Amino acid sequence: MAGAAGGSSAQEKRATASRLKAALSLSADESEAAAGELRALLETVLSPPSGGAGGGGGESVSEALAWCRCLLAGGEPWDSFVQAVRAYDPATLCGLVWTANFVAYRCRTCGISPCMSLCAECFHQGEHAGHDYNMFRSQAGGACDCGDGNVMREAGFCKRHRIKSSSEVPSVPKDLLIMSELVLPQFIFCLIQYLREGYDEPVLDVPSEKDLHKVLQILESHISFLEDLTKMGGAMRSVLTQVLTNQQFYKDLSSGGAENACAKKSHEKYLVALKGSGLTFPEDKAACGGQEQAAGGASSSVVQGFAGATPASGQGDSSDEEDQDGGQDVGKRKRVKLSSSTKDQSIMDVLKHKCFLEELLFWTIKYEFPQKMVTFLLNMLPDQDYKIAFTKTFVQHYAFIMKTLKKSHESDTMSNRIVHISVQLFSNEELARQVTEECQLLDIMVTVLLYMMESCLIKSELQDEENSLHVVVNCGEALLKNNTYWPLVSDFINILSHQSVAKKFLEDHRLLVTWMNFVSFFQGMNLNKRELNEHVEFESQTYYAAFAAELEACAQPMWGLLSHCKIRETQEYTRNVVRYCLEALQDWFDAINFVDEPTPNQVTFHLPLHRYYAMFLSKAVKCQELDLDSLLPDQEMLMKLMVHPLQIQASLSEIHSNMWVRNGLQIKGQAMTYVQSHFCNSMIDPDIYLLQVCASRLDPDYFISSVFERFKVVDLLTMASQHQNTVLDSEHERSMLEGALTFLVILLSLRLHLGMTDDEILRAEMVAQLCMNDRTHSSLLDLISLECC
């Protein structure tokens, strides 16, 4: 029977399926014999063609799917089987999956998570009259959350997805899905074999997109078939979940026994593909072990991090990072080896898969998240057991996702599809808390972000250019220019929105130290040096990447953490952040060989460590009733803290006075962006507040003289009838003096962090936005600053 399976007619298929289903319900011996015959039949029907994954024609694929439908239905008509299965759907979640450009709805009144979204049908069948909602066009894709009480309030559920009692749904008859439980393991294994056979390791890190596309074309019908199964409802999804997560099924089918040459070959290709799935190869561990020990503990921040640096050609580097060098002078480039205490061992090793779901996600990543596979994986999410298992699997592969994303030639598309998945997983607070506790999600996310940025670090030229030990991200790298880090940062921001997860982060001293290490990579990036002789030949556009990186990778996580530090009971969290922020700042000052004043004609607009300190200081005094002086360092440290924010204010005046004209228009672009409404809440506002704190606690004469010195106008303040300014041309004197006096007025008049209530700040924000344009309620909420929300 098995030998003739490929050429069977529809009638013969139905007869065979009906006979096998009937036999499975008989005695143990007859049932076992029928199961064996079914396995043999499926091996013949589903085995990839002799030419491998690329050699199958549409006819063989359609024949295999016809057999699968017939077997699943047990010889009954397929439509009747589908209708019968749908009658036993206990699912209360919608879970409709959509891709980019789909029109969906978001109701802030009903939403628990800010990422909650609804399909049009569920929205219109729900009760949202008078609610704060908006209609939007999805950018990365999404899924309907109707019926999920962890993401939205039950009052917003539509009529179809109100909570059902278990008595409303009859139990599934034993024989209805008996064939599905036996057919689907081999069908999914067939899919995995196609993926194994179709993948060849890229030559020189350039994947053969043509070959991958060819494999995906062949598999399109297979994945569509799985999608159709998920749409049958909860009963079929439950079977799929059992198949995908059953370790014994995977062990029996996937290892590739010696008797099956084809299976053995595909298993060998799978093992080759697995190599390098961790952050370092196993053979590299011994090589970089000594360097990691030399790098010391995580608390030493950037100084010890640089002590463990090796040239890019060193053995300790992961092979995936060499392709980032491009045409740069590798000899001058520095790599930072993170200390062993910051590494999570679970993401260092080569991946080990124990079930179909884990390997299926692995290949989904290898093939750079094909849309149909993403849709199938998301269609399964209404099954709670699957959702938990899939989330843990996603976390398990998180480092591998980062490595694949860095190498991708279509990082924008891949980023959207990663977020399409992750936002469905991490928007659920209960699930996020569970994987944080069981899978060390926070450790993995922070470590993966560190490793991603480690591949594009260069030596800082701020202050002591020759002897500086500080390293910063190179904003000219594709990783920064293309915002490749965005999906990982987006996930981190998402999980920090959950109070229970943020609490664990703020309580974990080791995590805070590691995070400050990460933030320090952006401290002083994109340094500007004033051109004094000739106009620059080429105006760099790296400042776009620099401002985007600080806002997305540093500031947005900061606002997320601050939102959980609004009451007196959270004082300890703020003390923790302030403590480790000051330690990181001290390490930074040591690393750049800080002196009493900055190097002339240099400015960086990026001081995220200063801004973290300032904002948590503001929150502590304003909301948590902490004494300001108890959180301040000594006078010497305060003097250091004011230097670089003050240098930015002076440089703004220089730029507006056309003293930086030889640097081109891009420097004016930086000055404008720094004070722009979209950035000012995270940049100039905390800088001004920190300078106000320094002004209130330092000797007044010292502070005022420092201001005039930095603005280079001390010589103008003489009582003599004539003066001689040794650093400013006469044409710049007046505008620089105006700049210094205006800055002092701002220090004295800006009250944003000096006693204004949240309501007053919100009112001021709304007035500022409405002065420019009429706004709808939804657009106004999107525009106002994060701390006002």
Side-chain angles (χ1 to χ4, degrees), residues 19-39 174 178-179 181-182:
R19 178 176 58 79
L20 289 173
K21 181 179 179 181
L24 289 170
S25 303
L26 300 177
S27 65
D29 290 341
E30 290 176 294
S31 175
E32 183 61 35
E37 185 181 343
L38 178 59
R39 281 193 294 271
K174 185 179 179 181
I178 191 170
M179 295 291 279
E181 293 167 0
L182 295 173

Side-chain angles (χ1 to χ4, degrees), residues 564-579:
H564 303 292
C565 297
K566 290 186 174 181
I567 56 175
R568 186 167 184 166
E569 288 71 26
T570 56
Q571 286 182 355
E572 197 56 38
Y573 302 156
T574 301
R575 290 186 187 277
N576 288 342
V577 176
V578 167
R579 170 190 168 187

Side-chain angles (χ1 to χ4, degrees), residues 49 86 114 123 141-142 165 175 235-236 301 306 347 528 537 545 662 673 702 757:
R86 283 180 176 163
F123 176 79
S165 65
D175 65 336
M236 182 59 80
S301 189
F306 195 79
I347 62 174
N528 298 282
E537 294 182 10
R662 291 185 177 87
T673 306
Y702 170 80
T757 65

Side-chain angles (χ1 to χ4, degrees), residues 276-280 282 285 344-352:
S277 56
L279 286 187
T280 57
K285 290 183 179 179
D344 187 291
Q345 195 58 43
S346 65
I347 62 174
M348 302 304 295
D349 296 326
V350 169
L351 289 165
K352 295 179 179 65

Side-chain angles (χ1 to χ4, degrees), residues 547 605 611 648-649 652-653 656 667-685 687-688 746:
F547 278 92
F605 288 94
R611 290 155 192 166
I648 293 176
Q649 311 314 311
L652 287 176
S653 283
H656 294 316
I667 194 68
K668 284 195 172 184
Q670 292 187 57
M672 292 171 62
T673 306
Y674 174 71
V675 299
Q676 187 187 23
S677 60
H678 190 60
F679 293 90
C680 65
N681 300 295
S682 303
M683 303 191 82
I684 188 173
D685 290 350
D687 287 353
I688 294 295
I746 290 172

